[in-house]
Amino acid sequence: MTTAIRTFKRACTDETQIHKFLREAQTAFLGLVDHSVPYVIPLNYVVKDGIFYFHGANDGRKINIMTANPNACITICENYGTMVDPIPANTDTAYMSVIANGVVEIVRDLDEATVAMQAMLDKYVPGYYQAPLSKTHIDKYQSSLGSKTLVFKIKPATMTVKEHKLNEQMQYYCGRVVTQDINRKSNEEPIKTT
């Protein structure tokens, strides 16, 4: 399911870490193609059994694009801080990212749609509602703008996961200046080889 990435040293294959990241990250970016123009929108999402779920109105630009071209990319990324180095080209960002490609489908099965929407509520407002969602609520729900809400899913055909771990000793903070790091590096003893 994963595809090769250019910077293989940054590839993440730890399934437990990937699942935790996807459970905790808050925003996904859905990439679509409107004729030949890219269209990317942020959205809430949840992953269940390896499938990405999100919801949206049954009319508007997003649904029109997905109907004309269901190929999609979903990207989730979290920034964990900037790491400094006296050499500007070595300044870098700590992050984790997932990029999944697949085909967007409307979830037509009411049971599946209800489970997906309940999972989203459990993710974004855990413990807020005292009763689980009913199928009737999902079937009849209309947004405050008057449109019916649909649940969509993407089962990834390909997926890449990358990470660059945070080196806390080199993490940038407001007030940190390069002379601190130059002085620190010059005071380090050279490594002896035998």
Side-chain angles (χ1 to χ4, degrees):
M1 177 140 98
T2 58
T3 59
I5 55 177
R6 182 183 55 83
T7 51
F8 66 91
K9 289 180 183 177
R10 300 260 169 104
C12 177
T13 57
D14 182 334
E15 292 295 325
T16 302
Q17 183 180 353
I18 294 167
H19 291 302
K20 181 179 186 300
F21 172 75
L22 290 172
R23 232 182 6 260
E24 294 176 359
Q26 295 295 298
T27 305
F29 293 87
L30 176 67
L32 303 168
V33 179
D34 187 3
H35 297 92
S36 62
V37 178
Y39 181 69
V40 178
I41 52 172
L43 44 81
N44 293 337
Y45 77 97
V46 70
V47 178
K48 288 205 52 73
D49 302 321
I51 298 172
F52 291 83
Y53 290 93
F54 58 97
H55 61 86
N58 68 342
D59 60 3
R61 185 174 181 191
K62 179 174 60 180
I63 191 77
N64 293 341
I65 296 169
M66 290 187 297
T67 302
N69 181 358
N71 294 304
C73 175
I74 194 159
T75 301
I76 298 101
C77 185
E78 294 286 314
N79 178 326
Y80 298 125
T82 302
M83 298 173 290
V84 296
D85 190 281
I87 301 168
N90 291 339
T91 297
D92 209 347
T93 301
Y95 67 90
M96 186 160 186
S97 67
V98 172
I99 300 174
N101 292 288
V103 173
V104 178
E105 298 176 45
I106 296 172
V107 176
R108 306 258 182 224
D109 180 80
L110 190 53
D111 289 326
E112 183 181 7
T114 304
V115 167
M117 289 299 287
Q118 182 64 55
M120 271 193 258
L121 289 174
D122 293 343
K123 176 180 180 174
Y124 290 98
V125 289
Y128 181 76
Y129 295 101
Q130 295 177 354
L133 279 174
S134 69
K135 287 191 248 181
T136 305
H137 181 81
I138 298 301
D139 191 38
K140 305 275 188 225
Y141 180 76
Q142 289 193 339
S143 75
S144 59
L145 300 175
S147 60
K148 179 158 176 42
T149 298
L150 299 175
V151 177
F152 302 94
K153 68 180 177 180
I154 298 174
K155 182 176 182 179
T158 63
M159 190 163 81
T160 58
V161 184
K162 289 173 53 174
E163 71 172 328
H164 187 42
K165 293 184 187 282
L166 178 65
N167 176 344
E168 291 183 15
Q169 291 181 332
M170 299 310 293
Q171 185 173 13
Y172 174 78
Y173 53 83
C174 189
R176 186 173 190 161
V177 293
V178 70
T179 53
Q180 294 169 299
D181 296 316
I182 291 172
N183 292 336
R184 184 185 58 78
K185 283 195 171 196
S186 65
N187 289 331
E188 291 177 357
E189 291 187 31
I191 297 173
K192 296 179 182 179
T193 58
T194 53

